[in-house]
Amino acid sequence: MNILITGSSSGIGLEVSLRFLNEGFTVYGIDIKSSNIDNPNYHHFIADVSKMEELPDLSNINYIFQNAGTQNSQNDIDNNLKGTINVIEKYAFTDSIKGVLLNASASASTGFEFPAYVASKAGILGYMKNVAVRLTKYNAICNSISLGGVITESNSIVMDDETLWNKIMDVTPLKKWMTKEEVSDWVYFLLVVNKSASGQDFLVDNGEKDLNSTFVWPNY
């Protein structure tokens, strides 16, 4: 089986790539950076998902995890929303497709984050439902996953600040963030194990949204 994973060079994308390689998949990775994955079943392409013309021609893709994106950049709409649309429209609608998962964000539902980022991720939720409807033609599923806090290098700005971290834990009911390994478990389940849930957003946030919504970041 073949899976396309965007944003595969670091963080969540890297962890998910390694998980699927361990499960015996052939993984096609797309990122603006090079990759350190050394595995004969991994094929890496350097491309910007916001630029359709840079995306490589690939065939026989069975699963897609659209993960690439930015947070609080000048181009969150282009990178997160338009990039998602570019990837899915180019690769998803083929007879080989079985499942698509879009990386949204808990912020898409709470609104508690940077304005353009929130808008880009909320747009992904609507687009996901549109894709799910169109993929029924191929008997394939499409969902999104909306993560709360995840322990990644990109979040070190708050994880390494004791004051900010304590404020986050004060408003996080389960008093923890997800690990990248836990995220990879969710991605594998929603794409491969799941055969019947489609058109759904799965909120995984340690209780933040429904039990106590807020957003903590420096100078915000």
Side-chain angles (χ1 to χ4, degrees), residues 186-206:
W186 273 96
V187 173
Y188 186 82
F189 174 80
L190 290 174
L191 273 175
V192 180
V193 179
N194 166 46
K195 299 293 192 301
S196 299
S198 192
Q200 305 301 310
D201 179 57
F202 292 86
L203 178 67
V204 189
D205 69 346
N206 285 299

Side-chain angles (χ1 to χ4, degrees), residues 106 108-110 171 173 203 205-214:
S109 298
T110 66
V171 296
L203 178 67
D205 69 346
N206 285 299
E208 288 182 74
K209 174 183 178 293
D210 290 329
L211 304 181
N212 197 0
S213 280
T214 192

